[in-house]
PDB file of all heavy atoms in Angstrom:
ATOM      1  N   SER A  15      -9.475 -13.866 -10.208  1.00  0.00           N
ATOM      2  CA  SER A  15      -8.520 -13.574  -9.127  1.00  0.00           C
ATOM      3  C   SER A  15      -7.299 -12.796  -9.638  1.00  0.00           C
ATOM      4  O   SER A  15      -6.796 -11.885  -8.972  1.00  0.00           O
ATOM      5  CB  SER A  15      -8.065 -14.874  -8.461  1.00  0.00           C
ATOM      6  OG  SER A  15      -9.152 -15.510  -7.825  1.00  0.00           O
ATOM      7  N   ASP A  16      -6.824 -13.153 -10.818  1.00  0.00           N
ATOM      8  CA  ASP A  16      -5.647 -12.479 -11.368  1.00  0.00           C
ATOM      9  C   ASP A  16      -5.897 -10.987 -11.538  1.00  0.00           C
ATOM     10  O   ASP A  16      -5.097 -10.141 -11.100  1.00  0.00           O
ATOM     11  CB  ASP A  16      -5.257 -13.106 -12.711  1.00  0.00           C
ATOM     12  CG  ASP A  16      -4.047 -12.438 -13.329  1.00  0.00           C
ATOM     13  OD1 ASP A  16      -2.941 -12.578 -12.779  1.00  0.00           O
ATOM     14  OD2 ASP A  16      -4.209 -11.736 -14.357  1.00  0.00           O
ATOM     15  N   SER A  17      -6.988 -10.608 -12.172  1.00  0.00           N
ATOM     16  CA  SER A  17      -7.305  -9.196 -12.396  1.00  0.00           C
ATOM     17  C   SER A  17      -7.580  -8.478 -11.075  1.00  0.00           C
ATOM     18  O   SER A  17      -7.222  -7.309 -10.903  1.00  0.00           O
ATOM     19  CB  SER A  17      -8.491  -9.060 -13.345  1.00  0.00           C
ATOM     20  OG  SER A  17      -9.637  -9.681 -12.797  1.00  0.00           O
ATOM     21  N   ILE A  18      -8.214  -9.181 -10.123  1.00  0.00           N
ATOM     22  CA  ILE A  18      -8.491  -8.567  -8.812  1.00  0.00           C
ATOM     23  C   ILE A  18      -7.181  -8.234  -8.089  1.00  0.00           C
ATOM     24  O   ILE A  18      -7.010  -7.141  -7.540  1.00  0.00           O
ATOM     25  CB  ILE A  18      -9.364  -9.500  -7.953  1.00  0.00           C
ATOM     26  CG1 ILE A  18     -10.772  -9.606  -8.552  1.00  0.00           C
ATOM     27  CG2 ILE A  18      -9.435  -8.989  -6.517  1.00  0.00           C
ATOM     28  CD1 ILE A  18     -11.664 -10.598  -7.829  1.00  0.00           C
ATOM     29  N   ILE A  19      -6.245  -9.180  -8.132  1.00  0.00           N
ATOM     30  CA  ILE A  19      -4.954  -8.961  -7.463  1.00  0.00           C
ATOM     31  C   ILE A  19      -4.210  -7.797  -8.113  1.00  0.00           C
ATOM     32  O   ILE A  19      -3.686  -6.904  -7.432  1.00  0.00           O
ATOM     33  CB  ILE A  19      -4.105 -10.240  -7.495  1.00  0.00           C
ATOM     34  CG1 ILE A  19      -4.750 -11.319  -6.619  1.00  0.00           C
ATOM     35  CG2 ILE A  19      -2.684  -9.968  -7.024  1.00  0.00           C
ATOM     36  CD1 ILE A  19      -4.084 -12.675  -6.719  1.00  0.00           C
ATOM     37  N   LYS A  20      -4.183  -7.778  -9.430  1.00  0.00           N
ATOM     38  CA  LYS A  20      -3.462  -6.701 -10.130  1.00  0.00           C
ATOM     39  C   LYS A  20      -4.102  -5.339  -9.866  1.00  0.00           C
ATOM     40  O   LYS A  20      -3.405  -4.355  -9.601  1.00  0.00           O
ATOM     41  CB  LYS A  20      -3.431  -6.989 -11.628  1.00  0.00           C
ATOM     42  CG  LYS A  20      -2.514  -8.151 -12.003  1.00  0.00           C
ATOM     43  CD  LYS A  20      -2.488  -8.369 -13.498  1.00  0.00           C
ATOM     44  CE  LYS A  20      -1.533  -9.490 -13.864  1.00  0.00           C
ATOM     45  NZ  LYS A  20      -1.511  -9.749 -15.332  1.00  0.00           N
ATOM     46  N   ASN A  21      -5.426  -5.268  -9.930  1.00  0.00           N
ATOM     47  CA  ASN A  21      -6.111  -3.998  -9.675  1.00  0.00           C
ATOM     48  C   ASN A  21      -5.901  -3.528  -8.235  1.00  0.00           C
ATOM     49  O   ASN A  21      -5.696  -2.333  -7.977  1.00  0.00           O
ATOM     50  CB  ASN A  21      -7.600  -4.134  -9.980  1.00  0.00           C
ATOM     51  CG  ASN A  21      -7.879  -4.296 -11.461  1.00  0.00           C
ATOM     52  OD1 ASN A  21      -7.086  -3.872 -12.300  1.00  0.00           O
ATOM     53  ND2 ASN A  21      -9.000  -4.935 -11.802  1.00  0.00           N
ATOM     54  N   THR A  22      -5.964  -4.476  -7.311  1.00  0.00           N
ATOM     55  CA  THR A  22      -5.767  -4.125  -5.901  1.00  0.00           C
ATOM     56  C   THR A  22      -4.357  -3.595  -5.656  1.00  0.00           C
ATOM     57  O   THR A  22      -4.159  -2.588  -4.945  1.00  0.00           O
ATOM     58  CB  THR A  22      -6.025  -5.347  -5.001  1.00  0.00           C
ATOM     59  OG1 THR A  22      -7.350  -5.833  -5.219  1.00  0.00           O
ATOM     60  CG2 THR A  22      -5.852  -4.992  -3.538  1.00  0.00           C
ATOM     61  N   MET A  23      -3.373  -4.253  -6.266  1.00  0.00           N
ATOM     62  CA  MET A  23      -1.994  -3.800  -6.093  1.00  0.00           C
ATOM     63  C   MET A  23      -1.791  -2.419  -6.717  1.00  0.00           C
ATOM     64  O   MET A  23      -1.141  -1.545  -6.121  1.00  0.00           O
ATOM     65  CB  MET A  23      -1.025  -4.805  -6.723  1.00  0.00           C
ATOM     66  CG  MET A  23      -0.874  -6.118  -5.955  1.00  0.00           C
ATOM     67  SD  MET A  23      -0.298  -5.879  -4.249  1.00  0.00           S
ATOM     68  CE  MET A  23       1.204  -4.948  -4.513  1.00  0.00           C
ATOM     69  N   GLN A  24      -2.342  -2.189  -7.893  1.00  0.00           N
ATOM     70  CA  GLN A  24      -2.185  -0.886  -8.555  1.00  0.00           C
ATOM     71  C   GLN A  24      -2.855   0.220  -7.743  1.00  0.00           C
ATOM     72  O   GLN A  24      -2.335   1.330  -7.635  1.00  0.00           O
ATOM     73  CB  GLN A  24      -2.763  -0.932  -9.975  1.00  0.00           C
ATOM     74  CG  GLN A  24      -1.935  -1.716 -10.983  1.00  0.00           C
ATOM     75  CD  GLN A  24      -0.571  -1.056 -11.250  1.00  0.00           C
ATOM     76  OE1 GLN A  24      -0.266   0.019 -10.766  1.00  0.00           O
ATOM     77  NE2 GLN A  24       0.253  -1.740 -12.038  1.00  0.00           N
ATOM     78  N   GLN A  25      -4.007  -0.079  -7.169  1.00  0.00           N
ATOM     79  CA  GLN A  25      -4.668   0.911  -6.323  1.00  0.00           C
ATOM     80  C   GLN A  25      -3.822   1.228  -5.084  1.00  0.00           C
ATOM     81  O   GLN A  25      -3.730   2.385  -4.663  1.00  0.00           O
ATOM     82  CB  GLN A  25      -6.042   0.391  -5.907  1.00  0.00           C
ATOM     83  CG  GLN A  25      -7.052   0.335  -7.056  1.00  0.00           C
ATOM     84  CD  GLN A  25      -8.357  -0.319  -6.636  1.00  0.00           C
ATOM     85  OE1 GLN A  25      -8.557  -0.670  -5.470  1.00  0.00           O
ATOM     86  NE2 GLN A  25      -9.258  -0.504  -7.591  1.00  0.00           N
ATOM     87  N   SER A  26      -3.209   0.194  -4.521  1.00  0.00           N
ATOM     88  CA  SER A  26      -2.344   0.409  -3.359  1.00  0.00           C
ATOM     89  C   SER A  26      -1.111   1.229  -3.741  1.00  0.00           C
ATOM     90  O   SER A  26      -0.672   2.110  -2.988  1.00  0.00           O
ATOM     91  CB  SER A  26      -1.908  -0.936  -2.763  1.00  0.00           C
ATOM     92  OG  SER A  26      -3.033  -1.669  -2.310  1.00  0.00           O
ATOM     93  N   PHE A  27      -0.551   0.955  -4.934  1.00  0.00           N
ATOM     94  CA  PHE A  27       0.589   1.739  -5.409  1.00  0.00           C
ATOM     95  C   PHE A  27       0.205   3.205  -5.610  1.00  0.00           C
ATOM     96  O   PHE A  27       0.940   4.112  -5.227  1.00  0.00           O
ATOM     97  CB  PHE A  27       1.125   1.160  -6.720  1.00  0.00           C
ATOM     98  CG  PHE A  27       1.819  -0.173  -6.562  1.00  0.00           C
ATOM     99  CD1 PHE A  27       1.933  -1.043  -7.642  1.00  0.00           C
ATOM    100  CD2 PHE A  27       2.363  -0.551  -5.344  1.00  0.00           C
ATOM    101  CE1 PHE A  27       2.570  -2.251  -7.507  1.00  0.00           C
ATOM    102  CE2 PHE A  27       3.000  -1.770  -5.194  1.00  0.00           C
ATOM    103  CZ  PHE A  27       3.105  -2.620  -6.280  1.00  0.00           C
ATOM    104  N   SER A  28      -0.960   3.414  -6.208  1.00  0.00           N
ATOM    105  CA  SER A  28      -1.411   4.785  -6.458  1.00  0.00           C
ATOM    106  C   SER A  28      -1.654   5.523  -5.146  1.00  0.00           C
ATOM    107  O   SER A  28      -1.370   6.719  -5.035  1.00  0.00           O
ATOM    108  CB  SER A  28      -2.693   4.772  -7.302  1.00  0.00           C
ATOM    109  OG  SER A  28      -2.457   4.181  -8.565  1.00  0.00           O
ATOM    110  N   ALA A  29      -2.174   4.815  -4.146  1.00  0.00           N
ATOM    111  CA  ALA A  29      -2.418   5.439  -2.852  1.00  0.00           C
ATOM    112  C   ALA A  29      -1.122   5.881  -2.190  1.00  0.00           C
ATOM    113  O   ALA A  29      -1.104   6.844  -1.421  1.00  0.00           O
ATOM    114  CB  ALA A  29      -3.172   4.479  -1.938  1.00  0.00           C
ATOM    115  N   ARG A  30      -0.013   5.200  -2.505  1.00  0.00           N
ATOM    116  CA  ARG A  30       1.293   5.567  -1.960  1.00  0.00           C
ATOM    117  C   ARG A  30       2.067   6.473  -2.914  1.00  0.00           C
ATOM    118  O   ARG A  30       3.264   6.701  -2.741  1.00  0.00           O
ATOM    119  CB  ARG A  30       2.126   4.298  -1.694  1.00  0.00           C
ATOM    120  CG  ARG A  30       1.513   3.306  -0.726  1.00  0.00           C
ATOM    121  CD  ARG A  30       1.251   3.906   0.630  1.00  0.00           C
ATOM    122  NE  ARG A  30       2.453   4.515   1.203  1.00  0.00           N
ATOM    123  CZ  ARG A  30       2.481   5.179   2.342  1.00  0.00           C
ATOM    124  NH1 ARG A  30       1.363   5.332   3.038  1.00  0.00           N
ATOM    125  NH2 ARG A  30       3.601   5.695   2.801  1.00  0.00           N
ATOM    126  N   GLU A  31       1.368   7.003  -3.953  1.00  0.00           N
ATOM    127  CA  GLU A  31       1.953   7.920  -4.937  1.00  0.00           C
ATOM    128  C   GLU A  31       3.114   7.279  -5.692  1.00  0.00           C
ATOM    129  O   GLU A  31       4.114   7.926  -6.003  1.00  0.00           O
ATOM    130  CB  GLU A  31       2.415   9.210  -4.261  1.00  0.00           C
ATOM    131  CG  GLU A  31       1.282   9.992  -3.604  1.00  0.00           C
ATOM    132  CD  GLU A  31       1.753  11.303  -2.981  1.00  0.00           C
ATOM    133  OE1 GLU A  31       2.977  11.538  -2.968  1.00  0.00           O
ATOM    134  OE2 GLU A  31       0.903  12.076  -2.519  1.00  0.00           O
ATOM    135  N   LEU A  32       2.950   5.989  -5.978  1.00  0.00           N
ATOM    136  CA  LEU A  32       3.971   5.281  -6.748  1.00  0.00           C
ATOM    137  C   LEU A  32       3.654   5.247  -8.239  1.00  0.00           C
ATOM    138  O   LEU A  32       4.513   4.878  -9.052  1.00  0.00           O
ATOM    139  CB  LEU A  32       4.121   3.845  -6.228  1.00  0.00           C
ATOM    140  CG  LEU A  32       4.710   3.708  -4.826  1.00  0.00           C
ATOM    141  CD1 LEU A  32       4.581   2.276  -4.332  1.00  0.00           C
ATOM    142  CD2 LEU A  32       6.165   4.149  -4.814  1.00  0.00           C
ATOM    143  N   GLY A  33       2.430   5.587  -8.588  1.00  0.00           N
ATOM    144  CA  GLY A  33       2.046   5.547  -9.996  1.00  0.00           C
ATOM    145  C   GLY A  33       1.858   4.130 -10.489  1.00  0.00           C
ATOM    146  O   GLY A  33       1.647   3.189  -9.713  1.00  0.00           O
ATOM    147  N   LYS A  34       1.963   3.960 -11.802  1.00  0.00           N
ATOM    148  CA  LYS A  34       1.808   2.637 -12.399  1.00  0.00           C
ATOM    149  C   LYS A  34       3.150   1.916 -12.404  1.00  0.00           C
ATOM    150  O   LYS A  34       3.972   2.117 -13.283  1.00  0.00           O
ATOM    151  CB  LYS A  34       1.263   2.761 -13.823  1.00  0.00           C
ATOM    152  CG  LYS A  34      -0.171   3.281 -13.877  1.00  0.00           C
ATOM    153  CD  LYS A  34      -0.686   3.282 -15.313  1.00  0.00           C
ATOM    154  CE  LYS A  34      -2.150   3.750 -15.349  1.00  0.00           C
ATOM    155  NZ  LYS A  34      -2.688   3.761 -16.727  1.00  0.00           N
ATOM    156  N   VAL A  35       3.340   1.088 -11.401  1.00  0.00           N
ATOM    157  CA  VAL A  35       4.582   0.328 -11.276  1.00  0.00           C
ATOM    158  C   VAL A  35       4.385  -1.043 -11.913  1.00  0.00           C
ATOM    159  O   VAL A  35       3.489  -1.798 -11.504  1.00  0.00           O
ATOM    160  CB  VAL A  35       4.982   0.172  -9.794  1.00  0.00           C
ATOM    161  CG1 VAL A  35       6.247  -0.674  -9.669  1.00  0.00           C
ATOM    162  CG2 VAL A  35       5.170   1.531  -9.148  1.00  0.00           C
ATOM    163  N   PRO A  36       5.184  -1.410 -12.901  1.00  0.00           N
ATOM    164  CA  PRO A  36       5.057  -2.750 -13.490  1.00  0.00           C
ATOM    165  C   PRO A  36       5.514  -3.809 -12.493  1.00  0.00           C
ATOM    166  O   PRO A  36       6.527  -3.628 -11.800  1.00  0.00           O
ATOM    167  CB  PRO A  36       5.999  -2.684 -14.709  1.00  0.00           C
ATOM    168  CG  PRO A  36       6.997  -1.631 -14.364  1.00  0.00           C
ATOM    169  CD  PRO A  36       6.270  -0.614 -13.535  1.00  0.00           C
ATOM    170  N   PHE A  37       4.803  -4.913 -12.415  1.00  0.00           N
ATOM    171  CA  PHE A  37       5.177  -5.950 -11.454  1.00  0.00           C
ATOM    172  C   PHE A  37       4.597  -7.290 -11.889  1.00  0.00           C
ATOM    173  O   PHE A  37       3.635  -7.364 -12.652  1.00  0.00           O
ATOM    174  CB  PHE A  37       4.678  -5.592 -10.048  1.00  0.00           C
ATOM    175  CG  PHE A  37       3.182  -5.688  -9.893  1.00  0.00           C
ATOM    176  CD1 PHE A  37       2.580  -6.842  -9.404  1.00  0.00           C
ATOM    177  CD2 PHE A  37       2.364  -4.626 -10.268  1.00  0.00           C
ATOM    178  CE1 PHE A  37       1.197  -6.938  -9.272  1.00  0.00           C
ATOM    179  CE2 PHE A  37       0.988  -4.705 -10.134  1.00  0.00           C
ATOM    180  CZ  PHE A  37       0.399  -5.858  -9.635  1.00  0.00           C
ATOM    181  N   GLU A  38       5.211  -8.339 -11.376  1.00  0.00           N
ATOM    182  CA  GLU A  38       4.683  -9.690 -11.462  1.00  0.00           C
ATOM    183  C   GLU A  38       4.568 -10.208 -10.034  1.00  0.00           C
ATOM    184  O   GLU A  38       5.327  -9.798  -9.151  1.00  0.00           O
ATOM    185  CB  GLU A  38       5.595 -10.584 -12.302  1.00  0.00           C
ATOM    186  CG  GLU A  38       5.744 -10.146 -13.756  1.00  0.00           C
ATOM    187  CD  GLU A  38       4.455 -10.246 -14.559  1.00  0.00           C
ATOM    188  OE1 GLU A  38       3.637 -11.150 -14.241  1.00  0.00           O
ATOM    189  OE2 GLU A  38       4.271  -9.439 -15.486  1.00  0.00           O
ATOM    190  N   TYR A  39       3.636 -11.136  -9.791  1.00  0.00           N
ATOM    191  CA  TYR A  39       3.353 -11.525  -8.405  1.00  0.00           C
ATOM    192  C   TYR A  39       3.206 -13.035  -8.257  1.00  0.00           C
ATOM    193  O   TYR A  39       3.009 -13.778  -9.224  1.00  0.00           O
ATOM    194  CB  TYR A  39       2.064 -10.850  -7.919  1.00  0.00           C
ATOM    195  CG  TYR A  39       0.822 -11.422  -8.583  1.00  0.00           C
ATOM    196  CD1 TYR A  39       0.170 -12.534  -8.048  1.00  0.00           C
ATOM    197  CD2 TYR A  39       0.322 -10.867  -9.750  1.00  0.00           C
ATOM    198  CE1 TYR A  39      -0.945 -13.076  -8.661  1.00  0.00           C
ATOM    199  CE2 TYR A  39      -0.782 -11.391 -10.373  1.00  0.00           C
ATOM    200  CZ  TYR A  39      -1.422 -12.496  -9.835  1.00  0.00           C
ATOM    201  OH  TYR A  39      -2.525 -13.041 -10.459  1.00  0.00           O
ATOM    202  N   GLN A  40       3.288 -13.424  -6.993  1.00  0.00           N
ATOM    203  CA  GLN A  40       2.948 -14.790  -6.591  1.00  0.00           C
ATOM    204  C   GLN A  40       2.274 -14.709  -5.216  1.00  0.00           C
ATOM    205  O   GLN A  40       2.827 -14.122  -4.295  1.00  0.00           O
ATOM    206  CB  GLN A  40       4.171 -15.689  -6.516  1.00  0.00           C
ATOM    207  CG  GLN A  40       3.828 -17.137  -6.158  1.00  0.00           C
ATOM    208  CD  GLN A  40       5.066 -18.006  -6.014  1.00  0.00           C
ATOM    209  OE1 GLN A  40       5.802 -17.862  -5.038  1.00  0.00           O
ATOM    210  NE2 GLN A  40       5.284 -18.886  -6.980  1.00  0.00           N
ATOM    211  N   VAL A  41       1.087 -15.289  -5.117  1.00  0.00           N
ATOM    212  CA  VAL A  41       0.342 -15.291  -3.869  1.00  0.00           C
ATOM    213  C   VAL A  41       0.214 -16.730  -3.389  1.00  0.00           C
ATOM    214  O   VAL A  41      -0.213 -17.608  -4.154  1.00  0.00           O
ATOM    215  CB  VAL A  41      -1.059 -14.664  -4.038  1.00  0.00           C
ATOM    216  CG1 VAL A  41      -1.817 -14.701  -2.704  1.00  0.00           C
ATOM    217  CG2 VAL A  41      -0.947 -13.237  -4.537  1.00  0.00           C
ATOM    218  N   VAL A  42       0.602 -16.949  -2.147  1.00  0.00           N
ATOM    219  CA  VAL A  42       0.403 -18.251  -1.508  1.00  0.00           C
ATOM    220  C   VAL A  42      -0.477 -18.003  -0.288  1.00  0.00           C
ATOM    221  O   VAL A  42      -0.095 -17.263   0.618  1.00  0.00           O
ATOM    222  CB  VAL A  42       1.740 -18.892  -1.087  1.00  0.00           C
ATOM    223  CG1 VAL A  42       1.493 -20.223  -0.383  1.00  0.00           C
ATOM    224  CG2 VAL A  42       2.634 -19.076  -2.303  1.00  0.00           C
ATOM    225  N   MET A  43      -1.658 -18.620  -0.312  1.00  0.00           N
ATOM    226  CA  MET A  43      -2.612 -18.344   0.755  1.00  0.00           C
ATOM    227  C   MET A  43      -3.530 -19.541   0.941  1.00  0.00           C
ATOM    228  O   MET A  43      -4.129 -20.030  -0.027  1.00  0.00           O
ATOM    229  CB  MET A  43      -3.433 -17.088   0.402  1.00  0.00           C
ATOM    230  CG  MET A  43      -4.290 -16.558   1.534  1.00  0.00           C
ATOM    231  SD  MET A  43      -4.852 -14.872   1.213  1.00  0.00           S
ATOM    232  CE  MET A  43      -5.579 -15.022  -0.431  1.00  0.00           C
ATOM    233  N   ALA A  44      -3.606 -20.047   2.188  1.00  0.00           N
ATOM    234  CA  ALA A  44      -4.485 -21.173   2.522  1.00  0.00           C
ATOM    235  C   ALA A  44      -4.236 -22.361   1.597  1.00  0.00           C
ATOM    236  O   ALA A  44      -5.167 -22.938   1.025  1.00  0.00           O
ATOM    237  CB  ALA A  44      -5.943 -20.746   2.466  1.00  0.00           C
ATOM    238  N   ASN A  45      -2.947 -22.706   1.456  1.00  0.00           N
ATOM    239  CA  ASN A  45      -2.544 -23.846   0.632  1.00  0.00           C
ATOM    240  C   ASN A  45      -2.921 -23.685  -0.834  1.00  0.00           C
ATOM    241  O   ASN A  45      -2.988 -24.669  -1.572  1.00  0.00           O
ATOM    242  CB  ASN A  45      -3.152 -25.150   1.180  1.00  0.00           C
ATOM    243  CG  ASN A  45      -2.616 -25.478   2.562  1.00  0.00           C
ATOM    244  OD1 ASN A  45      -1.448 -25.262   2.856  1.00  0.00           O
ATOM    245  ND2 ASN A  45      -3.492 -25.981   3.431  1.00  0.00           N
ATOM    246  N   GLN A  46      -3.181 -22.464  -1.247  1.00  0.00           N
ATOM    247  CA  GLN A  46      -3.436 -22.174  -2.659  1.00  0.00           C
ATOM    248  C   GLN A  46      -2.330 -21.251  -3.168  1.00  0.00           C
ATOM    249  O   GLN A  46      -1.745 -20.477  -2.403  1.00  0.00           O
ATOM    250  CB  GLN A  46      -4.798 -21.504  -2.847  1.00  0.00           C
ATOM    251  CG  GLN A  46      -5.990 -22.327  -2.364  1.00  0.00           C
ATOM    252  CD  GLN A  46      -7.288 -21.580  -2.599  1.00  0.00           C
ATOM    253  OE1 GLN A  46      -7.664 -21.290  -3.730  1.00  0.00           O
ATOM    254  NE2 GLN A  46      -7.978 -21.274  -1.508  1.00  0.00           N
ATOM    255  N   GLN A  47      -2.085 -21.333  -4.445  1.00  0.00           N
ATOM    256  CA  GLN A  47      -1.022 -20.513  -5.019  1.00  0.00           C
ATOM    257  C   GLN A  47      -1.467 -19.979  -6.375  1.00  0.00           C
ATOM    258  O   GLN A  47      -2.056 -20.703  -7.183  1.00  0.00           O
ATOM    259  CB  GLN A  47       0.275 -21.332  -5.193  1.00  0.00           C
ATOM    260  CG  GLN A  47       1.408 -20.568  -5.863  1.00  0.00           C
ATOM    261  CD  GLN A  47       2.687 -21.383  -5.930  1.00  0.00           C
ATOM    262  OE1 GLN A  47       3.180 -21.860  -4.902  1.00  0.00           O
ATOM    263  NE2 GLN A  47       3.213 -21.559  -7.134  1.00  0.00           N
TER     264      GLN A  47
END
């Protein structure tokens, strides 16, 4: 899940012409974190 989230976010950044933006994340979904 960690690699999927990071890859998905980077692809979304690239689609918006943001390039490789460094980031850290937290996902809360369906009582999971």
Side-chain angles (χ1 to χ4, degrees):
S15 295
D16 180 68
S17 61
I18 292 175
I19 292 173
K20 289 182 178 179
N21 291 335
T22 302
M23 288 301 305
Q24 287 294 355
Q25 290 174 4
S26 298
F27 290 157
S28 298
R30 301 301 306 176
E31 298 182 354
L32 292 170
K34 293 184 178 180
V35 178
F37 71 94
E38 298 294 329
Y39 71 88
Q40 183 183 72
V41 179
V42 178
M43 190 164 52
N45 296 322
Q46 300 180 63
Q47 177 176 305

